[in-house]
Amino acid sequence: MCGIIGYTGKKNVEEILISGLSRLEYRGYDSAGVAILDNGELRIRKKQGKLAVLREDLKKSPIKGTTGVGHTRWATHGVPNDTNAHPHVDHKTQIAVVHNGIIENYQELKKKLQKAGYEFSSDTDSEVIAHLIAECYKGDLCAAVRAATKQLKGSFAIAVVHKGESGRVVGARRDSPLIVGIGEGENFLASDIPAVLEYTKKVIYLDNGETVDLTDKTCVIYNGKGKRMKRKPTVIKWDISQAEKTGYKHFMLKEIFEQPEVLRNIFKERIKKGRVNFEELKISKAQLKKIKRIVIVACGTAYHAGMTGKYMFEKYARIPVWVDNSSEFRYRDPLVDKNTLVIVISQSGETADTLAALREAKERGAKVLAICNVLGSSIARESDGVIYTHAGPEIAVASTKAYTAQLAVLYLLTFYMASARGLKAARNKQFLKELKKVPHLTEKLLDEYRSRGNRLAKYATDFHEYYLARNNKSCFLYLGRNINYPNALEGALKLKEISYISAEGYPAGEMKHGPIALIDENPWVVCIAVEADTYDKMLSNIQEIKARGGLVIAIVSQGDKLLKKGKLDYIIEVPRVPEVVSPLLVVIPLQLLAYYVAEAFGYDIDQPRNLAKSVTVE
Ligand code: M6R
């Protein structure tokens, strides 16, 4: 949550900060601000609202300068307004700080600083950092930042400038991400790579507890003990176009349409000569063989991928699997030990709850394997082994391609585990063949939805009209069974997070135990009724809903008999594939339906209210 950026070099810093922040806006967007060093002056501009508000303000009265820091906020302490927006400054307006994270002991520090005469102006936890650095300042900004951050409890990534030290930006991190971009005669700090990618592909991932001292030509990193660290930059292989909309109206739509390519790349890279290959996995097959059970820990969409993984691992690798929300796992007394493989799944690799769960699992002696999208992220680095999904940057807050990439990796991992445990290789080969067909099938399916007047968009506008005609009174239920039950949860999550319509997912068999009481003409019920062992049971569920006046959108396999009967209100076909791989196809219309509903309502699809892309606070 919150995006930070820092720059020192020869270019107009205002432009660089604003362009960097526009690529970090997915992390938070309730206010934004910059601090720029201009001829011995420290100039601050901050505005409530999206970055566009600040951008307009700066257009009217620009600030010159070649060094500065910037911030885009997702409020934790203090409502979004101009005063609570970052940067925060010390009492003499000499030091400006941007912060991502939460300072847990800010009240205690604030009291101490107030006693010493420091006056606070905001309701944030972050302001305390500016005053604390001022308190520690003895003429060297980097030394002051190191001294101050030692006193902080909680999580932070900060970028700091001092009025009297032109051309210098200091950064520090603990449990919130921060990277350094190494340029030619210029250097950058940022929460994430897209913010600097237009200018450099060389980045250094700062480790926990490190401080970095930047000028236009130098980059000096210190560890928590003050020791200088030597670090080689990593060269980023993807380019900025991947972090741009490239003609799509929204990032979410672009990312949905990228899924065939993402899946194709994963299968191409991982399936070699009929075998699954995970080169970078630091956990040996012998170690995997000893595993007695798997615990999958994740949040949100990644958690749904994990739930699907349970079906796969149990059915094909015959290992018992528990799936837990990271936020629950970390506060239970979880039963994991050296015979447990804990799989943590996270697109960003920075989700605070998942990171804490990972640490908890390691402390209890479990081996931890991460499935991550963001290279060099905290979760990737702290795990014993990591499998990257290489899905490219996911910018929209609603996760789509990261989910299908996580599913793809879980399929492959299932069969990797199955073979490590000596289970039926022939069956695996057939399965891998089916999997390899999926990218093409998803592409064909998506082609049907390229035109704006497509069928799903029509269903969505129908819903919009229906909703308005009923005085905003309607909602969605999503029903699935077996391996498509997690997709029912995922479809509901997608819809509610971007269109604010109440939506719940259930295993269809649970309907009669309560949720069926909701059925009248109000809710729209999405039923996943593709070819499956439980297909007939799903048909009965559909009948039960129809008998009670419910409105059904059925997702069926191509050529399904329901199509002929024509009794359903709405019907969506997906290619007919074996049940086990069907989640990869079923989720696509679910994502698109959510997208089109949000579009019909005219909502801000990529930046839904109250959310942020990576949740780096508890
Ligand atoms: O980066 P992570 O995969 O760890 O994020 C987990 C959740 O915060 C994330 O999936 C969230 O639920 C998305 N907004 C869902 O679309």
Side-chain angles (χ1 to χ4, degrees):
M1 329 297 258
C2 303
I4 67 169
I5 180 153
Y7 173 81
T8 173
K10 307 229 162 9
K11 294 182 184 142
N12 177 6
V13 68
E14 184 193 292
E15 251 173 66
I16 291 176
L17 297 181
I18 295 297
S19 120
L21 289 178
S22 71
R23 301 193 191 283
L24 294 174
E25 228 188 343
Y26 72 87
R27 302 177 66 86
Y29 32 81
D30 59 43
S31 51
V34 292
I36 292 176
L37 295 178
D38 173 19
N39 260 335
E41 288 301 316
L42 178 60
R43 301 203 188 279
I44 313 284
R45 191 75 55 79
K46 43 192 203 170
K47 289 278 164 216
Q48 180 187 343
K50 294 204 169 176
L51 185 63
V53 181
L54 175 70
R55 189 188 274 130
E56 276 311 301
D57 191 77
L58 285 167
K59 247 192 214 161
K60 281 184 212 143
S61 71
I63 315 178
K64 279 196 220 116
T66 59
T67 301
V69 295
H71 189 270
T72 176
R73 180 170 188 243
W74 184 86
T76 59
H77 296 62
V79 296
N81 60 24
D82 289 357
T83 315
N84 289 334
H86 296 218
H88 290 287
V89 292
D90 68 313
H91 62 315
K92 290 186 186 156
T93 319
Q94 290 192 324
I95 292 168
V97 177
V98 288
H99 168 223
N100 166 210
I102 290 183
I103 304 305
E104 285 164 7
N105 59 339
Y106 83 99
Q107 272 169 330
E108 185 189 320
L109 290 168
K110 189 170 172 176
K111 269 188 206 145
K112 237 167 68 183
L113 288 160
Q114 277 170 329
K115 262 193 192 162
Y118 290 86
E119 274 176 31
F120 283 71
S121 52
S122 77
D123 307 318
T124 67
D125 55 330
S126 311
E127 190 184 351
V128 80
I129 308 173
H131 295 299
L132 196 60
I133 295 173
E135 173 78 357
C136 297
Y137 189 75
K138 309 255 172 338
D140 175 353
L141 183 61
C142 187
V145 168
R146 290 213 317 268
T149 48
K150 273 190 191 137
Q151 300 179 50
L152 301 177
K153 289 194 182 136
S155 60
F156 57 84
I158 55 171
V160 192
V161 287
H162 189 289
K163 183 178 170 177
E165 302 200 28
S166 63
R168 193 177 195 189
V169 178
V170 176
R173 71 161 289 229
R174 186 197 301 152
D175 292 344
S176 292
L178 191 60
I179 58 126
V180 181
I182 304 289
E184 297 291 328
E186 57 185 359
N187 285 313
F188 305 79
L189 271 179
S191 300
D192 198 1
I193 295 164
V196 304
L197 210 53
E198 203 178 329
Y199 311 99
T200 179
K201 288 197 164 193
K202 288 193 213 159
V203 305
I204 296 174
Y205 300 96
L206 288 183
D207 276 334
N208 245 351
E210 286 183 339
T211 306
V212 61
D213 190 358
L214 292 181
T215 66
D216 56 353
K217 292 194 188 67
T218 59
C219 163
V220 183
I221 297 173
Y222 299 92
N223 73 6
K225 292 182 182 143
K227 187 175 164 222
R228 276 177 84 137
M229 306 299 288
K230 275 200 179 148
R231 304 286 286 286
K232 263 197 171 168
T234 305
V235 179
I236 300 303
K237 293 203 182 98
W238 44 277
D239 65 75
I240 197 63
S241 69
Q242 284 178 270
E244 281 170 351
K245 287 188 209 153
T246 58
Y248 285 91
K249 191 170 171 196
H250 297 98
F251 278 111
M252 182 178 176
L253 195 61
K254 177 191 175 223
E255 287 157 9
I256 290 173
F257 276 89
E258 279 174 350
Q259 289 175 110
E261 198 51 26
V262 167
L263 294 174
R264 190 168 288 127
N265 289 342
I266 292 176
F267 297 144
K268 200 169 133 204
E269 185 192 355
R270 306 292 186 184
I271 306 175
K272 302 246 161 82
K273 295 186 184 152
R275 281 169 187 272
V276 175
N277 150 47
F278 287 123
E279 266 160 18
E280 76 276 45
L281 187 73
K282 291 189 201 108
I283 305 173
S284 70
K285 278 200 169 175
Q287 282 170 316
L288 290 179
K289 207 172 172 181
K290 283 190 203 142
I291 296 298
K292 295 271 180 295
R293 63 182 189 143
I294 295 176
V295 174
I296 302 179
V297 188
C299 300
T301 288
Y303 172 74
H304 299 152
M307 287 179 72
T308 316
K310 175 181 167 73
Y311 286 90
M312 303 173 196
F313 284 122
E314 293 195 337
K315 183 157 184 164
Y316 294 95
R318 307 305 293 157
I319 310 176
V321 181
W322 279 258
V323 190
D324 215 342
N325 292 111
S326 313
S327 52
E328 288 298 314
F329 177 90
R330 64 182 291 192
Y331 290 117
R332 274 199 292 112
D333 191 2
L335 284 174
V336 297
D337 57 23
K338 63 180 177 23
N339 296 318
T340 315
L341 176 68
V342 173
I343 302 178
V344 291
I345 307 176
S346 173
Q347 185 285 131
S348 62
E350 300 294 347
T351 301
D353 285 324
T354 307
L355 187 57
L358 176 168
R359 291 176 181 158
E360 183 67 41
K362 276 180 91 173
E363 229 162 71
R364 288 166 190 256
K367 277 255 171 268
V368 179
L369 169 63
I371 298 177
C372 260
N373 192 36
V374 176
L375 250 58
S377 55
S378 304
I379 288 175
R381 283 184 292 164
E382 290 195 29
S383 299
D384 296 303
V386 56
I387 301 176
Y388 284 113
T389 46
H390 296 304
E394 192 181 64
I395 310 287
V397 165
S399 184
T400 53
K401 64 174 179 174
Y403 177 66
T404 40
Q406 287 156 358
L407 291 184
V409 164
L410 284 163
Y411 279 117
L412 298 180
L413 188 59
T414 300
F415 287 89
Y416 189 81
M417 295 277 282
S419 85
R421 295 162 70 83
L423 299 177
K424 300 182 188 146
R427 189 160 129 188
N428 294 354
K429 280 202 177 130
Q430 180 51 34
F431 176 82
L432 291 180
K433 257 192 194 163
E434 295 295 342
L435 262 189
K436 279 167 99 175
K437 290 183 199 158
V438 170
H440 175 65
L441 295 175
T442 51
E443 202 158 51
K444 265 180 64 190
L445 180 61
L446 278 164
D447 275 348
E448 285 176 36
Y449 297 118
R450 278 209 182 268
S451 79
R452 291 189 59 74
N454 72 62
R455 197 195 278 207
L456 275 173
K458 160 90 175 59
Y459 294 178
T461 47
D462 281 3
F463 174 76
H464 182 228
E465 279 165 23
Y466 187 86
Y467 186 84
L468 297 182
R470 293 180 165 258
N471 291 328
N472 304 349
K473 210 178 141 219
S474 184
C475 61
F476 266 84
L477 283 176
Y478 287 75
L479 303 181
R481 279 176 178 264
N482 211 314
I483 200 163
N484 270 304
Y485 158 50
N487 259 345
L489 298 178
E490 177 60 9
L493 175 63
K494 283 294 85 91
L495 188 83
K496 68 185 135 194
E497 70 180 327
I498 58 171
S499 64
Y500 323 133
I501 305 285
S502 174
E504 294 308 326
Y506 285 101
E510 276 293 294
M511 280 299 279
K512 54 190 174 296
H513 300 290
I516 200 162
L518 291 171
I519 304 291
D520 55 11
E521 73 281 9
N522 255 323
W524 285 38
V525 190
V526 179
C527 296
I528 304 173
V530 290
E531 179 168 306
D533 292 345
T534 51
Y535 173 77
D536 289 335
K537 312 261 175 236
M538 198 68 215
L539 291 191
S540 307
N541 291 126
I542 291 176
Q543 296 308 334
E544 286 156 15
I545 296 158
K546 293 298 304 165
R548 286 160 181 82
L551 198 147
V552 170
I553 301 183
I555 301 183
V556 300
S557 300
Q558 241 150 25
D560 189 276
K561 62 184 179 203
L562 283 174
L563 288 159
K564 285 176 211 129
K565 287 191 180 155
K567 277 190 182 159
L568 289 180
D569 308 286
Y570 294 103
I571 199 148
I572 301 165
E573 281 176 274
V574 295
R576 186 171 288 276
V577 290
E579 181 180 7
V580 60
V581 295
S582 65
L584 285 168
L585 290 146
V586 165
V587 74
I588 286 175
L590 295 177
Q591 295 166 340
L592 282 168
L593 182 65
Y595 174 85
Y596 288 122
V597 170
E599 202 194 25
F601 277 76
Y603 290 133
D604 187 343
I605 294 181
D606 285 334
Q607 296 178 342
R609 71 181 180 209
N610 302 341
L611 294 174
K613 181 72 181 163
S614 62
V615 187
T616 56
V617 294
E618 242 199 285

